[in-house]
Amino acid sequence: MNVADSQTVSAVLRRAGYVSADRVEDADVILLNTCAIREHAEEKVLHRLRELARLKQSRPEVKLGLLGCMAQHNRVAIMEKAAFLDVVAGPDSYRRLPEMLGRAGDNYNASIDVRLDRAETYADITPDYGGGVRAYVTAMRGCDKFCAFCVVPFVRGRERSIPPSDLMREIGELAARGVKEVVLLGQTVNAYRFGDTGFSALLKMVASIGGIERIRFMSPHPGDVSDSLIEAMATEPKVQPHLHLPIQSGSDRILAAMERGYTVAEYLALVARVRAAIPAVAISTDIIVGFHGEEESDFEATTDVMRAVGYDSAFMFKYSVREHTRAFRLGDSVSEEEKGRRLIALIALQEEMSIARNRAMVGREFPVLVEGPARRGGGMMAGKTPQFKTAIFAVDTAAVGTAAGDTVNVRVDSASSHSLMCSLA
Ligand code: SAH
Ligand code: SF4
């Protein structure tokens, strides 16, 4: 989502006459886009800002700005720790950046704009697409769910969807530029609604765009997975069989405290419905360990659910207390050390399960959308299977159709927890 937001910022500045510099040392304006979801990220950003501030010593005219959720979340604390900042702009203020940058040099006071705006969707601004076969397209912004642990509704504001007509125009332009796969983005992307158009209708509209071959979306909320969404995934061939279903915890007591709005039984029933309708589906998740009040028995309940579901992959985090959230007042009962122990145990369990799930693919064939040379080099190419698993395969130079943007059929020869080693089928 931040990559997509940065592309919007880039488009706003380009319209105002800016061009992008190749190296940070050559830039007159340096903007850092940030995340506030956990505290750890903030420490990293402050460190990076101090490094960048050194560039201002030799070139005082350089303007340094902080963008995004961290700017929104704690601008006061940040301005105290990073007084050298020229611009501080929250996620709804990017349209005003050229103006803010113009003002920033005037009086040595930072230009700060962190007004949240219920109407801002940047719908008319086509982001600067970064190239490649896949593009990320923001379909909705903000979140109205207010899970007890989460800062997103406070830093990104209220839920708002981008009109389907703007999305169709933007994705049509991307298709014309060679994009084959779009990932529709939103904090709770499947809560998308604009007038009569809900999320499954949107998926079908996007599927009608010529040139777009694959459609994915991130991040759906389990509570908003409707029968019509499952039906769209099952019947529309362009919608890829991968569903990210963040569970957060496998304990009903903790889920209630997190105010997630579902029980473990409801979640498992949803997984069963999804698998019945889409047998090839890969399911991934997000889990938080060490939420306030999480006992060993709650943690074990989480590992039980992980085993029961058998996730293809998972993002796992230590609970980080966030100011403004409802859980802020509850406290932070699990020690840092214990959170660390639980996280390591969970990662090890998921690693085992990812390997098992990926090894089960050995011998099977998949269509892979080729993205380009594999990072490991050696003439290998890489792309994703429909389930969003990384497939790595050698290219037969005599064969046609193995350039970025082509779809090739591969057979899986071996697998690790993160990738599938394949040969052209
Ligand atoms: N909207 C998505 C999640 C977006 S935030 C959903 O509700 O499913 C991405 C992930 O960050 C969350 O799923 C959660 O696992 C993690 N996260 C959010 N707030 C956190 C916090 N305070 N501490 C640790 N992890 C957190
Ligand atoms: Fe945060 Fe996701 Fe809950 Fe919204 S639905 S409050 S983004 S965890």
Side-chain angles (χ1 to χ4, degrees):
M1 184 149 282
N2 270 356
V3 169
D5 275 5
S6 294
Q7 292 174 347
T8 296
V9 168
S10 170
V12 167
L13 292 177
R14 204 166 33 75
R15 275 189 184 185
Y18 287 83
V19 292
S20 65
D22 293 331
R23 303 180 327 140
V24 71
E25 293 79 7
D26 301 333
D28 301 316
V29 173
I30 305 169
L31 303 172
L32 212 61
N33 196 4
T34 60
C35 174
I37 201 92
R38 288 174 299 277
E39 200 173 358
H40 179 63
E42 298 185 358
E43 295 305 318
K44 285 209 292 209
V45 166
L46 276 171
H47 181 76
R48 183 80 179 120
L49 280 177
R50 290 193 188 106
E51 264 175 21
L52 292 170
R54 272 190 233 128
L55 293 171
K56 281 169 79 87
Q57 286 167 1
S58 51
R59 289 172 59 217
E61 72 280 10
V62 168
K63 286 175 191 159
L64 187 56
L66 181 74
L67 310 184
C69 294
M70 215 179 122
Q72 191 72 41
H73 188 224
N74 44 10
R75 54 221 173 245
V76 180
I78 287 161
M79 288 310 292
E80 278 168 9
K81 290 179 196 158
F84 48 77
L85 279 171
D86 300 290
V87 164
V88 177
D92 287 348
S93 310
Y94 300 150
R95 205 180 278 278
R96 293 182 290 275
L97 269 174
E99 210 184 295
M100 293 174 72
L101 285 164
R103 264 201 317 265
D106 293 353
N107 52 9
Y108 296 104
N109 282 330
S111 182
I112 302 179
D113 189 334
V114 287
R115 279 175 285 170
L116 286 174
D117 180 344
R118 283 169 183 265
E120 180 60 278
T121 58
Y122 303 110
D124 57 315
I125 298 171
T126 301
D128 278 354
Y129 143 74
V133 301
R134 179 182 308 119
Y136 292 89
V137 174
T138 302
M140 55 87 74
R141 302 182 68 87
C143 179
D144 286 352
K145 294 268 191 301
F146 289 92
C147 301
F149 54 81
C150 184
V151 80
V152 167
F154 301 93
V155 291
R156 285 191 170 266
R158 298 288 59 73
E159 205 172 280
R160 56 220 114 114
S161 296
I162 285 103
S165 53
D166 288 296
L167 292 172
M168 296 295 282
R169 175 188 45 78
E170 185 181 334
I171 298 169
E173 284 171 22
L174 290 167
R177 295 171 67 174
V179 167
K180 304 280 192 230
E181 175 173 306
V182 287
V183 186
L184 299 173
L185 296 179
Q187 290 299 335
T188 50
V189 69
N190 53 337
Y192 178 91
R193 174 151 294 280
F194 193 91
D196 293 337
T197 310
F199 188 61
S200 50
L202 177 68
L203 287 177
K204 289 182 183 167
M205 287 171 79
V206 175
S208 73
I209 300 175
I212 296 301
E213 296 171 8
R214 292 181 168 199
I215 303 166
R216 304 181 185 278
F217 52 92
M218 190 65 92
S219 176
H221 187 284
D224 291 319
V225 178
S226 62
D227 286 341
S228 70
L229 170 54
I230 298 176
E231 192 253 356
M233 291 185 73
T235 57
E236 174 46 64
K238 290 186 182 179
V239 180
Q240 300 297 293
H242 172 213
L243 191 60
H244 188 65
L245 271 186
I247 186 168
Q248 313 300 358
S249 167
S251 154
D252 278 336
R253 207 172 63 82
I254 297 298
L255 283 177
M258 287 176 162
E259 301 180 54
R260 282 291 287 179
Y262 51 80
T263 62
V264 172
E266 285 164 349
Y267 180 94
L268 291 176
L270 173 61
V271 168
R273 273 196 293 141
V274 169
R275 285 197 167 139
I278 315 152
V281 76
I283 298 181
S284 54
T285 199
D286 292 348
I287 298 178
I288 297 175
V289 296
F291 184 68
H292 177 74
E294 186 185 82
E295 304 286 345
E296 185 62 29
S297 56
D298 299 306
F299 175 66
E300 278 164 19
T302 297
T303 57
D304 288 348
V305 172
M306 282 175 79
R307 285 196 188 88
V309 176
Y311 291 108
D312 289 86
S313 64
F315 296 109
M316 295 156 281
F317 311 102
K318 288 195 256 183
Y319 174 52
S320 171
V321 180
R322 307 277 57 205
E323 209 177 323
H324 307 312
T325 61
R326 283 204 273 264
F328 181 71
R329 278 166 288 153
L330 298 177
D332 194 8
S333 67
V334 182
S335 72
E336 194 53 32
E337 197 185 356
E338 181 56 23
K339 283 180 191 169
R341 190 192 67 78
R342 290 178 194 176
L343 182 65
I344 287 169
L346 219 57
I347 291 172
L349 172 60
Q350 182 54 46
E351 178 84 4
E352 239 175 68
M353 294 196 311
S354 296
I355 291 182
R357 302 260 327 153
N358 288 352
R359 291 215 172 123
M361 309 283 151
V362 172
R364 292 175 54 192
E365 285 183 22
F366 296 96
V368 166
L369 175 62
V370 182
E371 289 173 27
R375 254 183 278 159
R376 66 181 65 184
M380 309 290 270
M381 299 288 275
K384 294 279 194 255
T385 68
Q387 289 79 7
F388 208 61
K389 292 178 188 284
T390 301
I392 296 169
F393 54 95
V395 194
D396 178 352
T397 44
V400 282
T402 43
D406 293 333
T407 294
V408 295
N409 278 320
V410 302
R411 187 179 305 104
V412 182
D413 299 323
S414 64
S416 71
S417 58
H418 292 292
S419 50
L420 307 174
M421 294 302 297
C422 311
S423 345
L424 290 177

